[in-house]
Amino acid sequence: MSERLRNKSALVTGSTSNIGQAIAEAFAAEGAHVIVSGRNRERGAKVVEGIRASGGRADFLVADLDGSAQASQNLAERARETLSGRIDILVNNAGIYPAAATTTTDEETFDQVYAVNVKAPFFLTAAVAPAMTEAGGGVIINLGSWIARLGVPVGALYSSTKGAMETLTRAWAAEFGPMGVRVNAISPGVILPPAPEGSEPHPGQVMMNGTPAGGVGTPDAVAHAAVWLASDESAFVHGTVVDVDGGRTGAAVIAA
């Protein structure tokens, strides 16, 4: 690797598996000291162990980002302490996806999804951004989703939260950009870990048929985009949503 993030420190939420894990591993491979965070201590420890075994720097902080300002502020404070007082990069990745129709979604589920997917990153950003400006700058990367702009059945609740995150990305770019903090987002398409040999095709493959990519993506695809957005290579990029979706939202889908 080129160590594009050498001497940088990063906090990646929801990084004990899948996309978040891939981002944490990619950041560490590029020289960053990474905080892996999530609710599962065992998985978090495994991710950190893998990063360290590859020569990277990482620590795990357990965190249940339930949407309360206190939970987000607590994680920000512990992350700064672990990273010697500075967070250069924040990735708001943690989220939940209940596959429920609008008519069967109860109020408790609605509140929980908005708490985790919108309130938690909102208050975490509020806790991290001021210190970034005081330190001379930083980078915030939010995770959106292709279904924020292309409706799918039983996706109304989740997609609305991701639409909120894309809107916050633009608003935060305007708010914090003049103070040296770049804010952008990544909108993944159907992303799945590489399938074990001999496993059955995933239902998500159907939604990617006829796209330019012709199939699902892997977490590494999102991680590569995150490294670019976190690095100085994207210094002139503000308030942008980078689609990493195999062309699902940007090109005509030809049904086979």
Side-chain angles (χ1 to χ4, degrees):
M1 289 292 185
S2 59
E3 292 201 330
R4 286 177 284 178
L5 304 181
R6 184 178 182 183
N7 298 324
K8 299 293 185 181
S9 57
L11 168 59
V12 184
T13 68
S15 48
T16 60
S17 64
N18 207 10
I19 290 174
Q21 177 180 346
I23 292 173
E25 291 171 345
F27 280 7
E30 291 287 352
H33 182 181
V34 181
I35 295 295
V36 175
S37 71
R39 291 176 293 181
N40 191 303
R41 292 178 182 272
E42 184 177 350
R43 289 200 317 228
K46 187 175 180 180
V47 174
V48 168
E49 181 182 357
I51 290 174
R52 291 177 176 175
S54 298
R57 294 179 297 161
D59 292 280
F60 173 69
L61 292 178
V62 66
D64 184 2
L65 297 177
D66 58 7
S68 66
Q70 182 179 7
S72 292
Q73 291 164 358
N74 178 264
L75 175 59
E77 291 169 4
R78 289 184 291 134
R80 272 193 290 267
E81 291 174 2
T82 306
L83 296 170
S84 302
R86 180 167 176 163
I87 301 172
D88 298 305
I89 305 160
L90 168 64
V91 180
N92 286 312
N93 169 72
I96 54 177
Y97 187 157
T102 299
T103 54
T104 59
T105 299
D106 56 37
E107 186 175 5
E108 181 180 358
T109 300
F110 183 98
D111 289 344
Q112 180 187 24
V113 175
Y114 262 84
V116 175
N117 292 9
V118 182
K119 284 185 66 180
F122 183 95
F123 286 113
L124 185 56
T125 296
V128 170
M132 284 182 171
T133 63
E134 291 175 9
V139 174
I140 297 173
I141 302 171
N142 298 319
L143 267 292
S145 173
W146 67 280
I147 65 171
R149 278 166 286 144
L150 190 63
V152 299
V154 301
L157 179 57
Y158 177 80
S159 63
S160 69
T161 66
K162 290 305 180 179
M165 289 309 298
E166 292 191 6
T167 297
L168 285 171
T169 296
R170 292 183 284 271
W172 285 338
E175 183 175 357
F176 300 120
M179 294 180 282
V181 178
R182 290 193 301 108
V183 186
N184 292 287
I186 299 172
S187 178
V190 180
I191 302 293
L192 298 170
E197 195 171 327
S199 64
E200 293 297 321
H202 192 276
Q205 174 67 51
V206 175
M207 292 186 284
M208 294 301 292
N209 288 343
T211 62
V216 301
T218 63
D220 285 347
V222 181
H224 293 318
V227 168
W228 177 69
L229 286 174
S231 73
D232 290 339
E233 294 173 3
S234 62
F236 201 54
V237 181
H238 293 258
T240 293
V241 179
V242 178
D243 293 325
V244 183
D245 63 4
R248 188 64 178 81
T249 58
V253 175
I254 309 302

